[in-house]
Amino acid sequence: MKFFDPHVHMTSRTTDDYQAMADAGVVGLIEPAFWLGQPRTGVATFKDYYSSLIGWERFRSSQFGIKHYCTIGLNSREANNEPLAEQVMEILPLFIYKEGVVGIGEIGFDDQTAAEEKFYRAQLLLAKEASLPVQVHTPHRDKKRGTQRSMDIALDCGLAPGIVIIDHNNEETVQEVLERGFWAAFTIYPFTKMGNERMVEVVKKYGPERIMINSAADWGISDPLAVPKTAALMKQHGISDEAIQLVTYKNAIAAFGQSGQLNEADFAGAQQIDQSQKFEGNTVLRGGQQPRVDKDSLIIR
Ligand SMILES: [Zn+2]
């Protein structure tokens, strides 16, 4: 089976993680722009971060045969630094139209403050203008109300629910998200919140339409193999291969494919790996390491 992880912060992960994901069948992923664990102090670091998502990190992923896409946005926590947030809004249009950018994200609410709402609305309007999907981070505290509010505001800003992916759902939010026509994404968190046994029950109850699973793996305790592991658990529990492929591969590609930057055809055939390639003179190899190079050539040396 092929897998697609539509929410994973690879910048925080090691090459071992890339290798393990590739070995488990992950052929593509989306890296949303987010919070780095401590507040940024200037707009220049946002610029460099966005550049790395469409540059170096995409290259690093390619060195393990995984196609890397990203969403670009101002995260909810840093929306609360209004002077800086205003500056970030000004540079977003420089990045959202780049190749491989499949949406505005992850944006939404953290503490549900007025500043968060202001910049969430501004970015929804930007997404509408650019005809890009929106990846919505829902708050971990007061989740139900925050999720409802996120959907209300998206509709209020004129977005169709079909272009909005509501993330970090749980059993309390999923029904309303689906009934209102939005995509429902689920993050599988180890030890807390949404473990993957609960996810199996959600798919049994609601079916596979408009549901997608992600790892949201980042710099914290998280599991970059959450998508293939959950697929295996679903299979053990008798969920059909068709349903498993919808929630771990096809639905995310369909949702973010509305950007025009992502298509199932991107994953036809095996991706060639050539670790002798360089990105601005830099490689993933360290002194003396032999690059892995896949060759179609019949010449054997
Ligand atoms: Zn995230």
Side-chain angles (χ1 to χ4, degrees):
M1 268 190 194
K2 285 179 185 169
F3 301 112
F4 186 89
D5 189 340
H7 187 150
V8 57
H9 301 287
M10 295 311 295
T11 300
S12 310
R13 311 298 307 194
T14 63
T15 53
D16 284 357
D17 291 330
Y18 269 125
Q19 190 60 58
M21 290 168 81
D23 291 345
V26 176
V27 294
L29 59 84
I30 297 171
E31 175 152 7
F34 87 136
W35 150 257
L36 295 180
Q38 66 178 41
R40 277 168 275 214
T41 56
V43 70
T45 51
F46 276 94
K47 217 180 222 173
D48 289 341
Y49 174 63
Y50 297 147
S51 298
S52 76
L53 294 184
I54 56 180
W56 171 248
E57 202 54 45
R58 186 181 297 167
F59 169 78
R60 215 164 70 98
S61 190
S62 75
Q63 298 303 283
F64 298 88
I66 298 176
K67 291 218 190 267
H68 182 287
Y69 307 83
C70 65
T71 58
I72 297 283
L74 168 70
N75 67 83
S76 51
R77 287 180 81 129
E78 286 173 299
N80 290 304
N81 179 345
E82 288 195 60
L84 181 56
E86 298 284 4
Q87 294 175 56
V88 174
M89 286 306 300
E90 277 175 34
I91 65 164
L92 287 182
L94 303 175
F95 293 95
I96 63 171
Y97 298 102
K98 300 270 191 200
E99 191 188 334
V101 177
V102 297
I104 303 287
E106 53 186 295
I107 63 171
F109 286 115
D110 176 47
D111 248 348
Q112 303 193 45
T113 64
E116 289 168 21
E117 177 166 343
K118 174 180 163 189
F119 291 103
Y120 177 49
R121 282 182 181 272
Q123 293 184 92
L124 288 169
L125 296 176
L126 189 62
K128 195 181 164 198
E129 189 185 306
S131 302
L132 280 172
V134 182
Q135 189 168 29
V136 178
H137 166 95
T138 55
H140 300 302
R141 297 174 298 277
D142 199 6
K143 177 171 285 292
K144 192 164 186 188
R145 193 174 70 90
T147 303
Q148 287 169 334
R149 218 175 136 196
S150 302
M151 292 189 287
D152 292 343
I153 293 171
L155 297 177
D156 191 42
C157 287
L159 279 111
I163 202 154
V164 180
I165 297 93
I166 303 289
D167 212 336
H168 312 315
N169 276 280
N170 63 22
E171 293 91 341
E172 275 205 318
T173 57
V174 56
Q175 186 164 350
E176 185 179 344
V177 169
L178 291 173
E179 277 174 4
R180 294 178 74 175
F182 292 84
W183 297 86
F186 287 83
T187 298
I188 308 300
Y189 292 106
F191 312 121
T192 61
K193 299 169 190 162
M194 199 70 217
N196 66 358
E197 288 168 296
R198 285 165 61 186
M199 191 65 228
V200 171
E201 295 308 314
V202 167
V203 172
K204 275 188 183 165
K205 183 165 176 192
Y206 295 98
E209 300 300 328
R210 273 185 291 119
I211 285 180
M212 66 186 79
I213 298 169
N214 63 62
S215 69
D218 57 18
W219 32 255
I221 296 168
S222 44
D223 187 348
L225 296 180
V227 174
K229 282 182 183 173
T230 306
L233 194 66
M234 286 181 175
K235 190 149 174 96
Q236 270 184 15
H237 284 257
I239 294 177
S240 73
D241 286 1
E242 292 71 28
I244 294 171
Q245 280 292 265
L246 283 172
V247 300
T248 60
Y249 183 66
K250 284 174 181 276
N251 286 347
I253 294 170
F256 288 98
Q258 296 179 86
S259 62
Q261 295 287 330
L262 163 65
N263 193 297
E264 251 194 86
D266 297 354
F267 309 104
Q271 204 186 337
Q272 292 291 304
I273 292 173
D274 180 356
Q275 293 182 342
S276 67
Q277 288 179 343
K278 290 184 174 167
F279 179 83
E280 293 182 4
N282 197 7
T283 81
V284 294
L285 304 171
R286 289 295 170 267
Q289 291 173 345
Q290 287 301 307
R292 172 181 159 192
V293 182
D294 294 342
K295 287 196 175 125
D296 290 327
S297 167
L298 292 177
I299 298 165
I300 299 166
R301 279 192 279 229

